């Protein structure tokens, strides 16, 4: 049977010849290879559940896309199972059937042949598959492993037979409408003449259907022998470690089968004439040194493929039912046995396969099955492409050997082969789409307006309304930044750094103008708008600009936090420069985009504040802005000395050694409640990882510092943190840092603070805090300058010096009278550290799910 993976190579070579057969294998495995890379990427991006490819697609593209693809993949597996059962029936009848034209059988040829008898044989074989699948995945795994051993033994026997069997003639009985006729095929042994005759194509009539074969029809039959790559992913719910097993098992299977197919094709072409290859699907048995073993092997391989597709279809149906995408229609499929086996989904899948068996001949459904699988493979690639292009921070698979290019190549390969196999069913009109794309990208600029802008406005408005914040999921969380800029002349490098940190999220440059509109003849912000937009263009950052008038900076920031953005696109993270006495430097004057005076003229930004001039913002007001943002449930980043970050220089030295990003996910100002798994620490980890994922920072290495005390089982803490990083798919080097000498200063301070005991009210307030709280302590006065300086020295001593540091930002104290002390301690903690980002997160942003 050509449905058997062992003999389909002979069917392909017999019709297509060696050259075209090798081309078919290369095309098929190119498509499969690109798809396998996408499967491995998605499978290693979180915890997989039952449903295999459906689960991957639905979790990546959403329920609407996933539901339709799930049904299609279910039907592909159902038709595939029927295809293999029919192929097995054909092989059984070929071996044991009564020859056409005879009324009684002789010897082993005892099985009657007719449509209804063959349907009966198929039903019995399918019932056997049903019994194995009803018992559960464990018995299926054992059965398939036994079949694998048999097939490997058969494969070894076949390879030996090509060398050991002497040239023989093989009579081939072909069925006709009113009887049969006999042709003679021949096994010539290794012969250059035979090889030369089999190099080119020689398509003939398929004796089972009477149809003339062609490249596309032969490819359709051959491709069905390669669809087993999804067998492992379909069992994702039954595997102990699917994220580990699926990539290794799938890639190994693809490489092994590709080599076997090519080896068999060459050996067949060199030893068998075309008549034998085209018209005797069981020729491997005829030339074998031990024919019964080949028969058993072909039966076992085909039965294994049928079971694989049946159990795969049942797992997809169960996953569809459990997701409630079709309501009560699939409610029955949710029922499972005590061991968790979805028995009703198996039975329903068996019923559908039984209906497909009525179609009769296998080659009639081969094209349908191939088209289904190609569509599913194209969609798996599309799902991976969508995740890659969406640039969601939580899409960081541990399998790295894929790019969006491989996804696109996989989609293109699937589409091309669908057109070749079934031009009518696959004829989507791509020409009009290509024309639109060409016009969009190639049309010259004009002054009479763009309909594209009107269409974009319409679509953006429509999709903004559809972007429902109630449907937000942590898997697709991304930072949406509001960076407050007082004067862009002193913030050029900070603007560029936050552009790297936004990870395809919303990025807004905010500015507060301290004026009163009542006393002005017109809005002073309108003339400034063009200067800000020109700045965005020149710096090549993907940012919006939001300007406001307010009586104070704090009121202006509140306005922007409340009003910036639309719908689901609103800033969730506020970024501020650090409040210190450092004199601002004109970064625009040194920026490559503004090196010539001609480029700087259009920008109407005022000169920078002189060091002796008063600031527009007080220290108390600055801390108040941080407190306001946290009350509004916005994450906060404070960036210090980012203007000293020469990103181009840091990344140029990437080769020796690569730049590092230091991450301190512990509250250094409160060592008595230091934890590594609270919301703020996880947010800090996420932001450092997001920066590392940016194209310009990919060569940088994350170094995570674990502060440990003597007697606190540091290696257990390290292993726990390593497991957390593995679950979050974050690659970082963990470095243990003893800090007993630092914490000793803290405890000494608590026993007797230099300024006397803390006020009783503040101590009571600390006692009332929840256990493990991560806020800045109410008794802030008990954190001495000596301790903070020691913590600063501890951070500074870790070498080599990093390109940037991420530190934990404590929450401001509830007592506003402690604001100045809070800011003083932050200044001491970050003094002399170079480019540093203090981070406080209030959002749950990490996900271990697919």
């Amino acid at each position: 049977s050509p449905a058997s993976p062992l003999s389909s190579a002979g069917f392909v070579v017999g019709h297509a010849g060696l050259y075209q057969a090798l081309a078919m294998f290369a095309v098929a495995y190119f498509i499969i290879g690109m798809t396998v890379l996408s499967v491995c990427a998605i499978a290693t991006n979180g915890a997989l559940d039952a449903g295999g490819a459906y689960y991957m697609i639905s979790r990546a593209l959403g329920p609407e896309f996933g539901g339709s693809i799930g049904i299609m993949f279910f039907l592909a597996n159902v038709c595939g199972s029927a295809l293999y059962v029919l192929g097995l029936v054909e092989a059984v009848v070929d071996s044991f059937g009564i020859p056409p034209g005879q009324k009684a059988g002789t010897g082993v040829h005892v099985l009657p042949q007719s449509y209804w008898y063959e349907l009966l044989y198929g039903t019995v074989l399918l019932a056997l598959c049903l019994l194995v699948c009803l018992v559960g995945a464990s018995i299926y795994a054992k059965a398939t492993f036994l079949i694998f051993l048999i097939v490997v033994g058969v494969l070894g026997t076949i390879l030996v037979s090509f060398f050991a069997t002497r040239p023989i003639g093989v009579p081939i009985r072909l069925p006709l409408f009113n009887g049969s006729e006999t042709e003679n095929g021949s096994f010539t042994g290794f012969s250059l003449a035979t090889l030369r005759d089999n190099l080119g194509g020689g398509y003939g009539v398929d004796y089972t259907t009477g149809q003339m074969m062609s490249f596309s029809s032969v490819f359709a039959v051959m491709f069905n022998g390669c669809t087993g790559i999804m067998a492992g992913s379909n069992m994702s719910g039954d595997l102990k470690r699917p994220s580990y097993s699926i990539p290794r098992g799938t890639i190994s299977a693809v490489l092994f089968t590709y080599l076997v197919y090519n080896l068999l094709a060459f050996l067949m072409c060199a030893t068998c004439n075309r008549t034998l290859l085209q018209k005797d699907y069981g020729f491997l048995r005829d030339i074998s040194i031990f024919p019964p073993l080949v028969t058993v092997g072909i039966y076992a391989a085909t039965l294994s493929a049928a079971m694989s597709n049946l159990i795969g279809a049942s797992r997809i149906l169960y996953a569809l039912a459990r997701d409630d995408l079709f309501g009560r229609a699939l409610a029955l499929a949710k029922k499972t046995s005590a061991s968790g086996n979805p028995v009703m989904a198996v039975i329903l899948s068996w019923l559908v396969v039984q209906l497909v068996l009525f179609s009769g001949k296998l080659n009639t459904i081969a094209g349908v099955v191939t088209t289904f699988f190609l569509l599913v493979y194209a969609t798996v690639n599309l799902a991976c492409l969508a995740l890659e292009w969406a640039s969601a921070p939580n899409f960081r698979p541990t399998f790295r050997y894929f790019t969006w290019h491989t996804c696109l190549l996989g989609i293109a390969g699937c589409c091309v082969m669908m057109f070749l196999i079934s031009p009518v069913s696959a004829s989507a009109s791509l020409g009009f789409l290509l024309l639109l794309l060409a016009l969009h990208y190639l049309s010259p600029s004009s002054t009479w307006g763009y309909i594209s802008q009107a269409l974009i406005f319409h679509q953006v408005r429509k999709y903004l309304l559809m972007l429902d914040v109630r449907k937000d999921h942590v898997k697709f969380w991304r930072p949406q930044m509001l960076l407050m800029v007082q004067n862009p002349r002193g913030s050029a490098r900070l603007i560029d750094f936050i552009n790297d940190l936004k990870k395809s999220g919303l990025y807004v440059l905010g500015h507060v103008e301290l004026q009163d509109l009542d006393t002005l003849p017109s809005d002073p912000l309108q003339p400034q708008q063009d200067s800000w937009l020109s700045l965005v263009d020149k710096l090549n950052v993907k940012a919006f600009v939001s300007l406001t008038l307010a009586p104070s900076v704090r009121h202006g920031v509140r306005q922007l936090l409340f009003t910036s953005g639309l719908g689901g696109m609103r800033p969730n993270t506020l970024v501020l420069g650090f409040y210190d006495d450092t004199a601002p430097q004109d970064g625009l004057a040194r920026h490559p985009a503004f090196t010539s005076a001609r480029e700087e003229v259009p920008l109407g930004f005022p000169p920078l504040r002189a060091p002796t001039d008063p600031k527009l913002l007080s220290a108390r007001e600055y801390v108040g802005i941080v407190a306001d943002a946290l009350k509004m449930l916005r994450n906060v980043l404070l960036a210090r000395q980012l203007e000293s970050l020469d990103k181009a220089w840091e990344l140029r030295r990437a080769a020796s050694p690569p730049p590092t990003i230091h991450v301190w996910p512990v509250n250094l100002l409160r060592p008595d409640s230091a934890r590594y798994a609270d919301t703020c620490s996880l947010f800090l980890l996420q932001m450092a990882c997001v920066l590392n994922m940016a194209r310009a920072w990919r060569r940088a290495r994350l170094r995570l510092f674990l502060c440990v005390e003597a007697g606190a089982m540091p290696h257990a803490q390290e292993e726990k943190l390593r497991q957390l990083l593995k679950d979050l798919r974050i690659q970082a080097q963990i470095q243990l840092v003893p800090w007993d000498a630092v914490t000793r200063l803290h405890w000494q301070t608590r026993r007797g603070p230099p300024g006397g005991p803390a006020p009783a009210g503040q101590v009571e307030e600390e006692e009332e805090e929840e256990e493990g709280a991560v806020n800045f302590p109410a008794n802030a006065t008990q954190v001495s300058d000596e301790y903070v300086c020691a913590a600063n020295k501890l951070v500074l001593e870790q070498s080599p010096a990093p390109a940037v540091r991420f530190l934990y930002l404590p929450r401001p104290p509830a007592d506003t009278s402690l604001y100045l002390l809070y800011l003083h301690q932050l200044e001491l903690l970050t003094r002399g550290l170079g480019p540093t980002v203090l981070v406080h997160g209030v959002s749950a942003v990490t996900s271990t799910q697919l």
Side-chain angles (χ1 to χ4, degrees):
S1 162
S4 166
L6 281 173
S7 58
S8 62
F11 173 83
V12 173
V13 169
H15 286 281
L18 180 62
Y19 291 151
Q20 292 187 39
L22 294 180
M24 285 185 188
F25 294 140
V27 170
Y29 275 86
F30 173 79
I31 294 170
I32 289 167
M34 296 301 101
T35 306
V36 163
L37 296 181
S38 298
V39 168
C40 294
I42 300 176
T44 57
N45 189 51
L48 267 177
D49 208 339
Y54 157 72
Y55 188 84
M56 298 177 193
I57 294 168
S58 62
R59 290 333 183 247
L61 301 183
E64 301 88 350
F65 220 112
S68 58
I69 293 299
I71 288 293
M72 184 164 54
F73 197 28
F74 168 73
L75 293 175
N77 278 273
V78 161
C79 293
S81 182
L83 178 79
Y84 288 117
V85 169
L86 288 172
L88 183 53
V89 168
E90 190 175 297
V92 170
V93 169
D94 188 52
S95 300
F96 304 107
I98 299 173
Q102 298 183 16
K103 293 184 178 180
T106 56
V108 296
H109 299 280
V110 295
L111 296 178
Q113 291 192 53
S114 71
Y115 170 79
W116 293 106
Y117 272 114
E118 290 179 8
L119 180 62
L120 174 64
Y121 304 150
T123 302
V124 171
L125 292 171
L126 184 60
L128 177 62
C129 296
L130 172 67
L131 288 176
V132 174
C133 295
L134 282 176
V135 173
S138 59
I139 190 68
Y140 165 77
K142 293 173 183 175
T144 51
F145 182 70
L146 177 63
I147 289 172
F148 169 74
L149 295 179
I150 294 173
V151 170
V152 169
V154 170
L155 184 60
T157 304
I158 290 172
L159 293 177
V160 171
S161 299
F162 281 114
F163 296 90
T165 303
R166 294 180 177 179
I168 56 172
V170 181
I172 307 168
R173 184 180 288 108
L174 301 177
L176 295 177
F177 179 72
N178 56 355
S180 65
E181 69 174 12
T182 302
E183 288 193 26
N184 290 317
S186 61
F187 174 79
T188 64
F190 284 96
S191 167
L192 189 60
T194 303
L195 177 62
R196 194 178 294 116
D197 290 340
N198 288 328
L199 289 178
Y203 295 100
V205 176
D206 175 24
Y207 74 83
T208 64
T209 61
Q211 296 178 352
M212 187 69 183
M213 302 306 289
S214 64
F215 182 93
S216 60
S217 56
V218 171
F219 181 86
V221 174
M222 183 275 299
F223 193 79
N224 286 293
C226 312
T227 54
I229 63 159
M230 288 295 186
S233 62
N234 289 342
M235 297 291 293
S236 57
D238 301 294
L239 298 172
K240 289 182 179 179
R241 297 169 60 193
S243 295
Y244 175 86
S245 304
I246 288 175
R248 286 161 178 79
T250 306
I251 292 174
S252 302
V254 168
L255 292 176
F256 177 75
T257 54
Y258 179 65
L259 292 174
V260 168
Y261 271 130
N262 281 276
L263 179 60
L264 284 177
F266 175 76
L267 293 175
M268 290 171 180
C269 275
T271 58
C272 304
N273 75 346
R274 195 176 293 273
T275 301
L276 182 65
L277 292 174
Q278 278 191 359
K279 299 184 177 181
D280 185 3
Y281 293 160
F283 76 96
L284 290 175
R285 179 183 62 250
D286 299 327
I287 67 171
S288 173
I289 56 175
F290 188 54
L293 182 60
V294 176
T295 302
V296 171
I298 290 176
Y299 292 175
T302 314
L303 189 65
S304 170
M307 279 194 298
S308 170
N309 279 270
L310 178 61
I311 202 167
S314 67
R315 293 322 191 250
I316 295 163
L317 187 65
Y318 172 64
L320 282 166
R322 204 175 58 176
D323 285 346
D324 277 328
L325 294 183
F326 298 92
R328 295 183 179 179
L330 295 180
L332 191 63
K334 293 182 185 178
K335 298 185 183 299
T336 61
S337 65
S339 61
N341 186 32
V343 288
M344 291 309 300
V346 172
I347 292 172
L348 291 173
S349 302
W350 166 75
L351 285 173
V352 182
V353 175
Q354 184 65 55
L355 291 175
V356 178
L357 288 180
F358 282 95
S359 65
K361 299 299 179 182
L362 62 91
N363 286 357
T364 58
I365 60 172
V368 176
V369 176
T370 300
T371 302
F372 272 142
F373 273 108
L374 283 170
L375 282 170
V376 172
Y377 292 171
T379 314
V380 169
N381 285 302
L382 178 62
C384 190
L385 181 68
L387 287 169
E388 177 70 6
W389 277 358
S391 296
N394 282 313
F395 182 63
R396 40 178 183 263
T398 55
F399 182 85
R400 298 297 182 90
Y401 303 103
F402 82 102
T403 66
W404 63 268
H405 305 87
T406 61
C407 301
L408 272 182
L409 287 172
I411 294 170
C414 291
C415 293
V416 168
M417 293 318 301
M418 279 191 290
F419 269 100
L420 287 176
I421 292 168
S422 180
V424 177
S425 61
S427 59
S429 180
L430 299 178
F432 184 65
L433 176 61
L434 293 174
L435 177 63
L436 282 179
L437 289 174
L439 288 174
H440 179 74
Y441 287 108
L442 302 178
S443 59
S445 299
S446 69
T447 57
W448 56 79
Y450 294 88
I451 186 61
S452 62
Q453 293 295 304
L455 293 174
I456 290 171
F457 178 88
H458 175 76
Q459 292 300 106
V460 168
R461 182 191 64 85
K462 182 173 77 172
Y463 287 118
L464 271 175
L465 291 170
M466 294 171 64
L467 193 61
D468 192 341
V469 293
R470 294 168 295 184
K471 296 180 181 178
D472 280 349
H473 194 282
V474 67
K475 276 192 309 183
F476 302 114
W477 179 92
R478 64 184 76 233
Q480 306 203 70
M481 303 291 199
L482 171 61
L483 170 62
M484 297 306 304
V485 179
Q486 196 272 319
N487 190 330
R489 293 187 182 279
S491 308
R493 287 182 174 172
L494 176 58
I495 292 171
D496 183 60
F497 178 80
I498 301 302
N499 187 61
D500 289 336
L501 200 57
K502 72 181 188 310
K503 189 57 179 170
S504 300
L506 179 68
Y507 184 17
V508 180
L509 297 180
H511 173 70
V512 179
E513 194 74 20
L514 298 182
Q515 297 192 50
D516 185 358
L517 192 59
D518 288 341
T519 63
L520 299 170
S522 62
D523 180 7
L525 299 179
Q526 291 299 328
Q528 297 184 29
Q529 192 78 19
D530 287 344
S531 294
W532 283 87
L533 294 177
S534 297
L535 174 77
V536 168
D537 292 340
K538 294 296 181 184
L539 293 179
N540 195 27
V541 295
K542 297 177 181 178
F544 298 96
V545 174
S546 189
L547 312 178
T548 188
L549 284 177
S552 70
V553 176
R554 185 175 183 182
H555 280 88
V557 176
R558 281 180 186 170
Q559 290 175 20
L560 292 177
L561 285 173
F562 277 128
T563 61
S564 290
L566 283 173
M569 293 191 70
R570 291 184 179 278
N572 55 28
T573 304
L574 174 67
V575 186
L576 302 172
F578 196 78
Y579 191 94
D580 56 20
D581 295 324
T582 305
Q585 301 292 323
D586 193 339
L588 288 188
R590 302 188 303 272
H591 197 279
F594 298 95
T595 50
S596 67
R598 181 177 57 82
E599 294 289 355
E600 194 173 346
V601 170
L603 298 183
F605 300 119
L608 288 170
R609 173 182 62 83
T612 55
D613 292 344
K615 297 181 180 180
L616 299 177
L617 180 68
S618 69
R620 188 182 299 275
E621 192 178 7
Y622 176 83
V623 180
I625 292 172
V626 176
D628 291 344
L630 295 178
K631 288 176 185 176
M632 297 180 194
L633 298 181
R634 304 297 205 276
N635 311 296
V636 175
L637 272 59
L638 304 184
R640 185 170 194 187
Q641 295 185 17
L642 261 297
E643 287 306 303
S644 66
L645 172 64
D646 188 345
K647 186 176 75 173
W649 181 83
E650 288 286 355
L651 301 177
R652 261 199 310 271
R653 65 182 184 94
S656 55
T660 55
I661 300 170
H662 285 192
V663 184
W664 295 79
V666 63
N667 189 349
L668 293 172
L669 292 185
R670 186 162 185 184
D672 50 325
S673 66
R675 295 191 304 166
Y676 285 85
D678 61 58
T679 300
C680 187
S681 296
L682 292 176
F683 182 85
L684 189 150
L685 271 174
Q686 179 83 323
M687 296 311 297
C689 182
V690 164
L691 180 66
N692 195 204
M693 293 168 74
R695 180 174 299 176
W697 291 87
R698 281 180 187 165
R699 293 184 181 178
R701 297 291 178 264
L702 289 182
R703 291 182 68 193
L704 189 61
F705 293 92
L706 176 61
C707 298
V708 294
E709 298 181 49
M713 295 188 296
H715 294 293
Q717 295 181 44
E718 181 183 8
E719 187 57 36
K720 186 176 180 182
L721 183 57
R722 197 176 301 281
Q723 184 60 43
L724 174 66
L725 293 177
K726 184 179 179 182
D727 292 341
L728 298 176
R729 290 100 54 210
I730 295 176
Q731 292 188 341
Q733 174 194 351
I734 299 176
Q735 183 166 331
L736 300 182
V737 180
W739 70 332
D740 298 81
V742 178
T743 54
R744 194 177 300 117
L745 296 173
H746 175 68
W747 297 119
Q748 289 172 357
T749 304
R750 288 178 65 89
R751 284 195 297 270
Q762 292 176 14
V763 177
E764 290 171 7
E765 186 177 342
E766 181 189 15
E767 291 172 352
E768 291 172 1
E769 288 182 10
E770 289 186 22
E771 184 179 354
V774 297
N775 297 345
F776 189 84
N779 59 333
T781 52
Q782 292 194 11
V783 180
S784 67
D785 287 358
E786 184 184 10
Y787 162 76
V788 178
C789 289
N792 168 266
K793 184 180 178 183
L794 180 74
V795 174
L796 194 57
E797 285 174 347
Q798 308 308 316
S799 60
V804 65
R805 289 180 172 91
F806 283 82
L807 268 60
Y808 190 115
L809 174 67
R811 181 183 288 267
D815 185 353
T816 58
S817 65
L818 298 176
Y819 277 4
L820 297 181
L821 177 60
Y822 168 80
L823 187 58
H824 170 68
Q825 291 174 346
L826 292 182
E827 196 279 328
L828 285 180
L829 181 64
T830 57
R831 182 179 292 176
L833 294 184
T836 304
V837 182
L838 291 158
V839 181
H840 189 96
V842 295
S843 308
V845 296
T846 54
S847 171
T848 58
Q849 298 178 345
L850 181 62

